[in-house]
């Protein structure tokens, strides 16, 4: 299951830039492209969001802006993490992009190139040690 942060749970959902502050996530079944939109119970805290998505059974996550803390939680939990880019897009386009296998797979080896928490200071504000 692929987790994609989205701005709304109705109308035409759009991907959203911020991972931990996303109000909702679309959980996408890759084979059918069917999705369910769920509220982000960790909203406002990237680490809680990452743990919540793991609890929901997500095996992959897409993001625009993401800090070190949530990234490491997801990777340690066995999730694959992909950089969607910093622009929003309709959910259907984000799903097609994810399934096209053209996204950057962010790993611990290349994370410094692709992680950006999107905060004004440019630094992670999750409060963890990132160990």
């Amino acid at each position: 299951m692929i987790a994609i942060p989205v701005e709304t749970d109705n109308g035409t959902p759009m991907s959203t830039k911020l991972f931990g502050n996303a109000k909702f996530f679309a959980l996408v079944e890759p084979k059918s492209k069917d999705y369910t939109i769920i509220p982000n119970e960790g909203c406002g805290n990237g680490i809680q969001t990452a743990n919540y998505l793991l609890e929901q059974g997500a095996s992959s996550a897409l993001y625009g802006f993401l800090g070190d803390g949530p990234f490491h939680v997801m990777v340690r939990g066995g999730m694959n993490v992909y950089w969607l880019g910093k622009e929003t897009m309709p959910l259907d386009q984000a799903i097609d992009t994810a399934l096209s296998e053209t996204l950057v797979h962010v790993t611990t080896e290349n994370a410094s190139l692709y992680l950006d928490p999107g905060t004004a200071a440019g630094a992670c504000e999750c409060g963890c040690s990132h160990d």
Side-chain angles (χ1 to χ4, degrees):
M1 185 131 17
I2 304 168
I4 303 173
V6 294
E7 296 175 347
T8 182
D9 64 346
N10 56 41
T12 304
M14 296 284 291
S15 67
T16 188
K17 296 177 184 181
L18 296 177
F19 179 85
N21 287 328
K23 292 184 181 180
F24 301 95
F25 273 84
L27 297 180
V28 181
E29 171 50 53
K31 290 181 182 174
S32 66
K33 295 187 184 180
D34 291 336
Y35 62 86
T36 303
I37 297 180
I38 60 170
N40 177 7
E41 291 190 6
C43 189
N45 183 302
I47 290 177
Q48 288 178 5
T49 296
N51 281 317
Y52 178 65
L53 293 174
L54 285 164
E55 290 169 8
Q56 297 305 306
S59 57
S60 299
L62 277 54
Y63 75 92
F65 290 95
L66 179 69
D68 290 339
F71 168 76
H72 288 291
V73 167
M74 289 187 288
V75 169
R76 285 187 198 124
M79 287 178 70
N80 290 305
V81 180
Y82 298 91
W83 185 60
L84 185 58
K86 295 182 180 179
E87 299 301 321
T88 62
M89 64 182 72
L91 178 57
D92 290 339
Q93 181 181 348
I95 293 169
D96 288 342
T97 301
L99 297 176
S100 72
E101 299 183 13
T102 59
L103 294 176
V104 173
H105 184 199
V106 182
T107 65
T108 54
E109 289 79 25
N110 68 2
S112 64
L113 300 172
Y114 294 99
L115 293 182
D116 176 353
T119 61
C124 187
E125 297 174 349
C126 71
C128 77
S129 66
H130 304 277
D131 294 330

